[in-house]
């Protein structure tokens, strides 16, 4: 595209892509006239299954007299393999085809600088870029058998999506939902989710605030907010079960020991304990312009090992130190 103006280029891109959305995620000021912005670009690829393709990048711009004089754009392409980054999202994924008709194709959680699992290690290491997410939380008042961590709580939703009839709404799914079981200093357990936000919703000026869940018990202390986090480095093991399975403890132990053996340094919490999490790829969070409206839970056999048990690793400070939204 030869257009000198970024917004004009985006408008012209609509001649090829069905939907194009761009969201600025964070930024920092480099000098009096230079700024660095981190962004996410999402497009619907023009094939019959309409996959969502998520592209990450940054722009360094020089502004003088309220006008952009220079702009340098860089795409995050996993070591120069931009074609590979795109093809993994464009080519039809087996479980998308298996569940065809349930939801549109989802924007997937980006995995940058990924180290593929070796024959002996069995785990993978990758970065999760800086991002915004919805963070609902609640006190765990049940037991492992109640499986409260497996479903997103009602107080995370800010709207209801109409999926049938003449007034059905278009929506964008995202996938890669994290959940953690946290221990308070008083020995209480809390459940905390990180739900990725679609680029289309991020690009809106106003973000809807999730409402209260009238059915939630006050004892669970339900809460929900939007949060920003800096880049993270994680190690994960593929796992076919759910977040509160009995065998999760042994999977965590196996991952932790292998990571230490290979020389990685786990990140520790304020109490000096390693930080584990569970990453679900069988849940899709669906957004309209009014926010998070529903979640769809897919069935996959245990042998498919669709989910991940993760461990936070130490990481150097990202160049993105300040955020645009506050």
């Amino acid at each position: 595209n030869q257009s000198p103006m970024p917004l004009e280029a985006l408008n012209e891109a609509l001649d090829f892509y069905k939907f194009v959305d761009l969201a600025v995620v964070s930024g920092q000021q480099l000098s009096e006239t230079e700024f660095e912005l981190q962004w996410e670009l999402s497009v619907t690829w023009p094939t019959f299954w309409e996959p969502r393709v998520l592209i990450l990048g940054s722009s360094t711009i020089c502004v003088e007299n309220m006008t952009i004089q220079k702009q340098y754009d860089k795409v995050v392409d996993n070591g120069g393999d931009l074609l590979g980054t795109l093809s993994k999202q464009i080519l039809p994924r087996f479980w998308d085809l298996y569940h065809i008709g349930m939801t549109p194709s989802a924007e997937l959680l980006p995995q940058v600088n990924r180290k593929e699992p070796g024959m002996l290690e069995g785990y993978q290491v990758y970065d999760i870029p800086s991002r915004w997410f919805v963070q609902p939380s609640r006190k765990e008042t049940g037991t492992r058998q109640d499986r409260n961590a497996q479903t997103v709580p009602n107080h995370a939703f800010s709207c209801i999506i109409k999926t049938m009839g003449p007034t059905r709404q278009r929506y964008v799914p995202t996938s890669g939902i994290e959940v953690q079981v946290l221990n308070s200093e008083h020995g209480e357990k809390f459940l905390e989710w990180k739900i990725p936000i679609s680029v289309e919703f991020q690009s809106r000026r106003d973000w809807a605030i999730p409402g209260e869940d009238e059915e939630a018990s006050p004892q669970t202390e339900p809460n929900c907010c939007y949060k920003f986090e800096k880049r993270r480095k994680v190690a994960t093991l593929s796992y076919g079960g759910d977040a509160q399975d009995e065998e999760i403890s042994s999977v965590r132990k196996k991952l932790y020991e292998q990571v230490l053996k290979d020389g990685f340094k786990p990140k520790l919490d304020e109490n000096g304990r390693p930080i584990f999490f569970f990453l679900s790829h069988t849940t899709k969070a669906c957004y309209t312009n009014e926010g998070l409206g529903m979640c769809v839970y897919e069935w996959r056999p245990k042998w498919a090992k669709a989910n991940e048990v993760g461990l936070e690793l130490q990481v150097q400070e990202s160049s993105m130190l300040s955020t645009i939204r506050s």
Side-chain angles (χ1 to χ4, degrees), residues 119-142:
M119 291 291 292
L120 299 178
E121 298 103 345
Y123 70 96
Q124 56 195 359
V125 175
Y126 54 85
D127 292 352
I128 299 176
S130 303
R131 59 171 181 156
W132 286 91
F133 53 88
V134 180
Q135 186 176 74
S137 62
R138 55 156 290 178
K139 183 189 291 185
E140 173 61 290
T141 55

Side-chain angles (χ1 to χ4, degrees), residues 73-325:
D73 300 320
K74 181 180 179 181
V75 174
V76 177
D77 56 7
N78 282 327
D81 186 15
L82 179 59
L83 181 60
T85 301
L86 295 177
S87 63
K88 289 179 181 179
Q89 301 180 73
I90 296 172
L91 296 176
R93 300 180 290 267
F94 173 79
W95 292 108
D96 283 344
L97 295 178
Y98 184 89
H99 293 288
I100 194 167
M102 287 185 64
T103 70
S105 179
E107 291 178 359
L108 301 182
L109 178 72
Q111 299 177 354
V112 183
N113 300 325
R114 177 167 168 161
K115 171 186 174 292
E116 296 290 346
M119 291 291 292
L120 299 178
E121 298 103 345
Y123 70 96
Q124 56 195 359
V125 175
Y126 54 85
D127 292 352
I128 299 176
S130 303
R131 59 171 181 156
W132 286 91
F133 53 88
V134 180
Q135 186 176 74
S137 62
R138 55 156 290 178
K139 183 189 291 185
E140 173 61 290
T141 55
T143 65
R144 186 189 296 268
Q145 285 68 37
D146 292 315
R147 302 284 180 170
N148 289 322
Q150 287 182 210
T151 56
V152 174
N154 287 337
H155 60 270
F157 301 99
S158 56
C159 65
I160 297 175
I161 300 177
K162 298 178 182 178
T163 60
M164 303 292 289
T167 59
R168 64 181 180 271
Q169 296 172 278
R170 187 184 71 85
Y171 59 89
V172 179
T174 66
S175 186
I177 296 178
E178 285 186 46
V179 61
Q180 284 182 290
V181 181
L182 306 173
N183 295 302
S184 74
E185 58 183 7
H186 303 296
E188 299 170 315
K189 291 186 181 295
F190 282 82
L191 303 178
E192 191 173 86
W193 290 261
K194 293 180 180 179
I195 307 173
I197 304 175
S198 72
V199 176
E200 181 177 296
F201 180 68
Q202 285 188 69
S203 65
R204 295 186 60 80
R205 182 184 298 272
D206 299 315
W207 291 6
I209 298 175
E212 295 184 4
D213 179 12
E214 297 179 355
E215 299 180 358
S217 169
Q219 295 179 343
T220 62
E221 301 179 17
N223 185 47
C224 189
C225 61
Y226 296 105
K227 279 199 171 181
F228 176 84
E229 68 178 5
K230 298 178 181 178
R231 177 173 62 95
R232 299 156 56 200
K233 181 178 287 293
V234 300
T236 68
L237 268 176
S238 297
Y239 179 67
D242 294 306
Q244 291 178 297
D245 290 348
E246 291 284 353
E247 56 265 40
I248 281 288
S249 296
S250 61
V251 177
R252 287 178 173 179
K253 183 175 183 291
K254 177 183 176 182
L255 175 61
Y256 182 76
E257 291 175 348
Q258 188 63 60
V259 162
L260 287 181
K261 179 181 177 182
D262 291 342
F264 290 103
K265 294 183 178 180
K267 183 178 179 179
L268 305 178
D269 64 15
E270 57 187 12
N271 297 313
R273 294 178 296 193
I275 303 172
F276 291 97
F277 62 91
F278 184 85
L279 184 58
S280 172
H281 296 290
T282 56
T283 305
K284 292 182 179 179
C286 304
Y287 291 84
T288 67
N289 289 337
E290 297 174 339
L292 179 61
M294 69 177 181
C295 283
V296 176
Y297 302 92
E298 297 180 347
W299 173 86
R300 301 190 193 183
K302 197 164 185 176
W303 54 260
K305 294 187 176 181
N307 301 318
E308 298 175 68
V309 175
L311 173 65
E312 300 273 355
L313 301 178
Q314 293 185 17
V315 62
Q316 294 180 349
E317 285 294 323
S318 169
S319 62
M320 290 295 183
L321 299 179
S322 58
T323 66
I324 295 297
R325 289 186 191 269

Side-chain angles (χ1 to χ4, degrees), residues 1-6 8-9 12:
N1 195 306
Q2 300 300 316
S3 175
M5 299 299 294
E8 291 180 5
E12 292 174 11

